[in-house]
Amino acid sequence: MIQAIITKPFADQDPGTSGLRKKVKIFETPHYTENFIQSIFDCTGKSKGKRLIVGGDGRFFNQQVIQKVLKIAAANGFASIMVGKGGILSTPAVSHLIQKYKAHGGIILSASHNPGGSDGDFGIKYNIASGGPAPEKVTKGIYACSQKIRCYRIANVGDIDLDRLGHQEIGGMKIEIVDPVRDYADLMEKLFDFQAIRQAIADGLRFRFDAMHAVSGPYAHEIFEKRLGFPTGTVIKGQPLPDFGNKNPDPNPVHAKDLIDLLMSDGGPDFGAASDGDGDRNLVIGKGIFITPSDSLAILAANAHLVKGYRAGVAGVARSMPTSTAIDRVAKKHRFFLYETPTGWKFFCNLLDMGLITLCGEESFGTGSSHVLEKDGLWAILMWLNILSITGKSALDIVRNHWREYGRNYYSRHDYEEVDTAAAKEMMKNLHDRLESLPGMEIGGFKIEKADEFVYHDPVDCSVSHNQGLRILFKNGSRIVFRLSGTGTQGATVRVYMERYEADPVLQEQNTQKALSTLISIADEIGNLKLYLNRNAPTVIT
Ligand code: VG1
Ligand code: CO
C-alpha cells in the first residue's frame, strides 16, 4: 500500500518569513507539494509513533493538500493525525492543539493574507512541538532536505472524508476529525472575563466583526455570537470561501475599507475588528478612531492587568524591530523587560516559551501572548473587548488618554509591491553600502545619529540572524526602516517604515501622513526609492 515515488528537487522550496508561499499553480506542479511535505518529515525526523495536527484556512487547494499530508504522514509512520473538520483550523488554533495534545508538530495550509482562488497563492507552514512556527534552523533544514530529495513515500489509498467527525484510519495511522473551534473557544473563555463582556453588551456595547470569508468566521460565530451573546449579524462574511469572496483576506485600511468607513460613520458600532486568511492577524477600530497595531500593542500591555488571564502580571514584552517604540514607553514605565526581534513571529517563540515575555506584537497587525506561540487575531480582539467592558470607556478615549500619558508615536508603513526583484535588491544594496557614511548627516532638519543593518542575537538559543532590515535612527528618536518582504509571491515588495514621537498633547491629533511628511521625503531621498523602483507612490499605506 505504501509507494516510494521517485522525484527531483525543486530549487525554490526555501521558506520565507512565514512558510513556503507560492502561486497555487506552482503547488499544483506534479510532485511539488509532495516533495515539500516529505522534506518537512525528513528534516524533523522521528515521526514513528507521533501525533501531528493538520488544518488550513479553507483556501483553494486546502483539502487536496490535506489529503496528501495524510497519505504521506501515514507512509512515514505517524501514529495519529488530528484534522479540523472540513480541513479548517486557524493558525492559533493549530498552535493550541499542538500544545494541548502534545503533538510532534503541525502543518498549517495557508498563505495568510495573500489572495486565494485558483489563480491566487497557497502556502505550507510547519510548527514545532512547542506550538510555535519552525525556527530558522528548522526552516533551513527543511530547505536543505528539499534540495537533496530523491523520493517521497505515500500511502496509495482513497481520500478521507474530512467532514465526518470522529475516527478513521489509513493503514495503522489513526485520523481524528475534530471540531476546529471548541478547544480554542474554551481557551479564550479561560483567559477573558466573558461575564464582564456580556454585561457591557447588555449595557449597549455594539460590535462588528468582519471575518473576510476566511478561517476566523466559524470561531467568531461561536465566541462572539453564541458564547458572548452579541446579536446574530455581528459577525459578517463568516463563511470561509476558497477565494475569500474574490478579495484579499488582509485586514488593512485597503482591504477592510468598508469596515473602517462604518466605524467612522455617525451610526456605526462602538468597536469593529477583522482578521486575516488564517486568523492570526487583527485589525481593531474604535468608533471614530483607527488604532495602529503598534499603538494597540502598547495599550494592551498598559492595561493587561485588568484582564482575568493577565492579573498575575506581565513578565516582559517584545516587538519586531520595525514596530513602533510606543511599547518601549509602556515597558519603561511599568518596568517590563523589553526585547526587539526581527520581523516574523518565530523570533518571539523562544522568549515566550521561556516565560521571558507575556505579550508581543508586530506592526503588521499581529499581536499575541504566551497563551499560544502564534499571533492570535481573535485573542487581541477579545483583549480589547475585555478592556472596553471593564473600564466602561470608549476606544477613542482609551487611545487618547494613552497618548496623553505616554506621548504619541506617529507611525506608518509604505509598501511598494510587485516591483522588479533585481531593482529592489540593488536599492537595498546601494543603501547598505552607504550606511556608514550617513551618521552626522542632517536632512530636512533631522539629524542622523546611527544607521545599521539589524542583526539579532537570540538570548535563549544564542543563534544570530543577519540581514533583518536597514535602520536609520535620528537624534530626535525618529526612525526609518527599509526591508524586503519575505512573504510575497510575485516580484519583490519593499517595505519602508517611518516613526516620529510627539510628546505635546496639542500636536497629537494630526493626520498621520501629514505628521510624517518630512520623514516620508527623507526616506525617498535616502533610499532613492523613485529612481530604483520606478514608482511614483507606494502601493499600500498602512
Ligand atoms: C509579513 C509581516 C510580518 C509577518 C509576516 C507573516 O512579512 O511584515 O510582520 O510576521 O508577514 O504574517 P514580510 O516578510 O512580508 O514583511 V502572516 O499573517 O502572513 O502569517
Ligand atoms: Co496570517
Side-chain angles (χ1 to χ4, degrees), residues 21-154:
R21 226 173 263 196
K22 304 279 172 203
K23 293 268 163 227
V24 166
K25 298 274 177 286
I26 293 183
F27 275 102
E28 283 174 334
T29 310
H31 308 308
Y32 190 91
T33 301
E34 291 85 347
N35 271 19
F36 191 70
I37 298 165
Q38 181 67 55
S39 301
I40 294 175
F41 296 153
D42 286 346
C43 166
T44 53
K46 301 194 194 85
S47 32
K48 288 237 164 3
K50 301 277 174 59
R51 184 202 288 276
L52 194 70
I53 312 289
V54 183
D57 64 9
R59 70 178 58 225
F60 184 86
F61 210 39
N62 188 35
Q63 298 214 350
Q64 289 95 314
V65 176
I66 290 184
Q67 299 290 352
K68 290 182 203 286
V69 170
L70 294 176
K71 292 171 194 177
I72 298 173
N76 277 271
F78 276 94
S80 69
I81 295 208
M82 193 179 266
V83 192
K85 183 170 182 254
I88 289 292
L89 276 175
S90 76
T91 289
V94 170
S95 186
H96 176 53
L97 290 178
I98 294 174
Q99 280 183 353
K100 183 162 181 180
Y101 296 102
K102 302 193 172 44
H104 177 61
I107 292 184
I108 306 167
L109 306 167
S110 173
S112 191
H113 54 287
N114 292 27
S118 57
D119 294 324
D121 294 345
F122 193 78
I124 302 182
K125 305 196 274 186
Y126 182 70
N127 283 32
I128 59 174
S130 65
E136 267 189 340
K137 70 170 187 306
V138 176
T139 55
K140 281 181 183 156
I142 295 172
Y143 178 53
C145 287
S146 79
Q147 295 311 291
K148 52 178 198 239
I149 192 167
R150 291 287 171 265
C151 92
Y152 59 85
R153 290 182 292 286
I154 187 161

Side-chain angles (χ1 to χ4, degrees), residues 261-426:
D261 288 348
L262 176 74
L263 268 291
M264 297 304 151
S265 68
D266 285 343
D270 303 298
F271 195 65
S275 188
D276 70 333
D278 59 331
D280 57 359
R281 295 188 177 205
N282 73 91
L283 165 72
V284 286
I285 323 155
K287 189 175 170 61
I289 186 155
F290 170 81
I291 307 167
T292 71
S294 297
D295 277 349
S296 173
L297 173 64
I299 293 166
L300 294 185
N303 292 284
H305 59 278
L306 301 173
V307 177
K308 185 167 108 184
Y310 301 89
R311 273 194 202 120
V314 170
V317 292
R319 63 166 168 82
S320 70
M321 183 273 280
T323 301
S324 104
T325 54
I327 180 81
D328 302 32
R329 293 171 194 282
V330 174
K332 195 166 175 208
K333 179 157 185 190
H334 293 256
R335 296 170 188 268
F336 300 152
F337 282 101
L338 171 80
Y339 300 85
E340 184 180 37
T341 58
T343 293
W345 207 260
K346 55 181 176 260
F347 294 104
F348 292 131
C349 291
N350 280 340
L351 303 171
L352 288 165
D353 211 19
M354 294 303 289
L356 296 175
I357 57 170
T358 307
L359 300 179
C360 52
E362 299 190 274
E363 50 64 42
S364 54
F365 300 89
T367 329
S369 90
S370 46
H371 70 289
V372 291
L373 294 196
E374 279 282 4
K375 56 183 184 268
D376 188 344
L378 291 184
W379 170 89
I381 295 158
L382 285 163
M383 234 6 222
W384 266 98
L385 287 172
N386 206 154
I387 291 167
L388 292 174
S389 305
I390 285 199
T391 60
K393 292 196 180 118
S394 71
L396 182 66
D397 281 345
I398 290 178
V399 175
R400 278 200 180 135
N401 291 343
H402 187 90
W403 291 341
R404 299 284 129 83
E405 190 174 345
Y406 295 91
R408 177 173 180 187
N409 290 72
Y410 283 105
Y411 185 83
S412 182
R413 182 176 107 183
H414 288 196
D415 293 333
Y416 296 82
E417 292 178 341
E418 297 186 14
V419 295
D420 182 69
T421 306
K425 285 190 174 155
E426 189 53 35

